[in-house]
Amino acid sequence: GENVEQHPSTLSVQEGDSAVIKCTYSDSASNYFPWYKQELGKRPQLIIDIRSNVGEKKDQRIAVTLNKTAKHFSLHITETQPEDSAVYFCAANLFGGYNKLIFGAGTRLAVHP
Amino acid sequence: GAVVSQHPSRVICKSGTSVKIECRSLDFQATTMFWYRQFPKKSLMLMATSNEGSKATYEQGVEKDKFLINHASLTLSTLTVTSAHPEDSSFYICSALAGGRYEQYFGPGTRLTVT
């Protein structure tokens, strides 16, 4: 079946450094790629998303890049802060359209002061 | 905007009993709601897709007679875990999708413990 692979599974950085999380997807029809942040015991929160008609999107310290040819997309967090510590999930919509999401396995990011 | 609530946040029940979890979109109409299960330190596992006014679509391996889903209105979907067993203990999360939108917004989750 279709899947989304996410790397790395854990990431440890010093405060102020950048963090990059990468995902690859298999469904050629996918056209929507959200990123969620989940703190322990809390709901996943949508932090940024990108559609297939653009290659990059930025929102303050967070950016997402998409390479449709290679079927991969990445989350970039600059000037990391301790409050960025959480689990991050990438996802892709199955079959395109307003449809269910396939999630990556998650990346546990730890930002050390 | 885009607030999704879930009730209850925690529930403990005995084996063999049934538990109902509610998912509500508070400030938008959700044409589609999704139910996920999440094990500790794991990703979100989609259980079923719920469309208002129609039968839910279950993912492979999810027992539809055990996990009953009802999406009776554009703001409410319910998940009933029937004849619960300890292995059903988990974190259950719903998400809601507004018509014509791609973004899914998640509820706060329900932690179910079956004793």
Side-chain angles (χ1 to χ4, degrees), chain B residues 49-108:
Chain B
T49 302
S50 166
N51 290 297
E52 187 265 338
S54 62
K55 289 185 178 180
T57 302
Y58 290 82
E59 295 299 303
Q60 192 171 9
V62 178
E63 299 176 61
K64 63 179 182 181
D65 293 330
K66 179 166 185 63
F67 298 100
L68 301 179
I69 292 172
N70 186 293
H71 193 157
S73 76
L74 285 172
T75 60
L76 173 64
S77 177
T78 61
L79 167 68
T80 301
V81 183
T82 63
S83 186
H85 291 285
E87 56 265 31
D88 297 326
S89 298
S90 192
F91 193 51
Y92 292 88
I93 315 179
C94 69
S95 71
L97 191 64
R101 302 290 299 271
Y102 286 95
E103 300 86 351
Q104 280 190 36
Y105 294 95
F106 283 85

